[in-house]
Amino acid sequence: VPRIIQIGGVCSGHCPSFAVHTVPRSGGPSHSLVVSGALQSNTLHRHSRVDDTMKLSTPRLQPGACFIAGVGALTAGGNGVDSLMSTRHCELFPLENTGSSLSNGHTVVLDPLNRCRAGHAIVTVQGKAYAVGGKGMGEPYRHIERFDPAVDNLATSSSSNTAMERMERNIGCVVRGKWSLLDHHDQLMNHGRFKSGVAATDTAIWVCGGQTGPRLVTLSSVEVFDVSAGRWHTGPELPY
């Protein structure tokens, strides 16, 4: 049975985002962790165990979320529920050093996004996270951002005792990294996109529909980002 993790949420999980973690099981089918982000609460609930909770640093509405293999579940951006201003916050729910489950009670605040954004999507390609579209105070963004987690094995000789280093000893690795803004001409979508459908393959990111412009006009176009080439090309048009 899949285990469901919810980041935030009272209001029936309003404006969710998802990240899926599939863990192979010996002699049987895999199971998944589904991570969602929603409105008003900053508590993370694992519904398979009601006593299993973690905290975001701030409540989020319309964040992006993804799972990075060998690292954990990452969430970034979203609107704060008090002012509904979009944020740059980025946090990680790390794996334990077994690599098979999330580390209970420990979140890591990571390097923030370069732009405040909400209504975006985050997907993982080749071990890196990509934040696609969304918007701040103005029109939807044409650019994307890329996060390289830069995970290193933790030196066993480390004796430092900051909160971050204690957490890293618990999960068995050092988690660092930085978001890079991909905003050169070839790296821009033809349209800024808000609340678009986004999916990833091994080599590309597909962005379908969404809303664009100051009036948030609905799109039927599709754009595909070739990760190796670092360029967008036009995909097949949606039927409506």
Side-chain angles (χ1 to χ4, degrees):
V1 177
R3 288 178 289 167
I4 308 299
I5 295 179
Q6 181 172 328
I7 300 176
V10 291
C11 297
S12 301
H14 182 54
C15 296
S17 58
F18 298 93
V20 180
H21 174 204
T22 302
V23 183
R25 301 175 67 178
S26 177
S30 299
H31 68 279
S32 297
L33 300 175
V34 182
V35 180
S36 65
L39 179 64
Q40 290 192 358
S41 172
N42 65 345
T43 302
L44 181 148
H45 299 282
R46 184 174 302 177
H47 291 289
S48 61
R49 290 177 53 193
V50 296
D51 61 337
D52 196 4
T53 62
M54 291 179 277
K55 291 279 190 179
L56 286 166
S57 64
T58 58
R60 309 285 178 80
L61 172 66
Q62 301 181 103
C66 71
F67 186 83
I68 303 176
V71 180
L74 178 146
T75 182
N79 290 328
V81 297
D82 295 329
S83 65
L84 293 183
M85 297 284 288
S86 56
T87 70
R88 299 170 56 212
H89 294 302
C90 178
E91 294 180 59
L92 177 76
F93 301 98
L95 288 174
E96 294 174 345
N97 54 20
T98 61
S100 61
S101 61
L102 296 178
S103 180
N104 297 339
H106 297 277
T107 64
V108 187
V109 177
L110 299 177
D111 182 67
L113 294 161
N114 289 280
R115 299 286 185 271
C116 295
R117 68 181 70 223
H120 57 295
I122 303 179
V123 294
T124 308
V125 181
Q126 299 173 5
K128 296 178 175 62
Y130 292 80
V132 182
K135 65 188 293 291
M137 292 294 291
E139 296 184 22
Y141 296 131
R142 295 174 59 199
H143 64 259
I144 60 178
E145 297 193 42
R146 180 178 61 209
F147 182 80
D148 186 341
V151 178
D152 298 314
N153 291 330
L154 185 64
T156 56
S157 60
S158 174
S159 59
S160 300
N161 202 37
T162 66
M164 172 72 82
E165 286 156 338
R166 288 196 301 273
M167 181 282 304
E168 289 171 339
R169 284 198 294 274
N170 181 60
I171 65 173
C173 66
V174 176
V175 183
R176 295 289 187 268
K178 188 174 182 64
W179 287 96
S180 301
L181 191 63
L182 306 184
D183 59 353
H184 295 154
H185 178 72
D186 290 341
Q187 298 170 324
L188 296 176
M189 292 183 284
N190 289 325
H191 302 281
R193 293 179 187 260
F194 178 62
K195 296 182 179 179
S196 54
V198 181
T201 67
D202 291 339
T203 60
I205 300 170
W206 287 67
V207 185
C208 305
Q211 299 172 311
T212 194
R215 297 179 180 270
L216 296 181
V217 176
T218 300
L219 294 166
S220 61
S221 60
V222 175
E223 301 188 56
V224 184
F225 185 69
D226 184 320
V227 171
S228 298
R231 294 184 178 183
W232 290 93
H233 64 266
T234 300
E237 189 86 3
L238 295 170
Y240 54 86

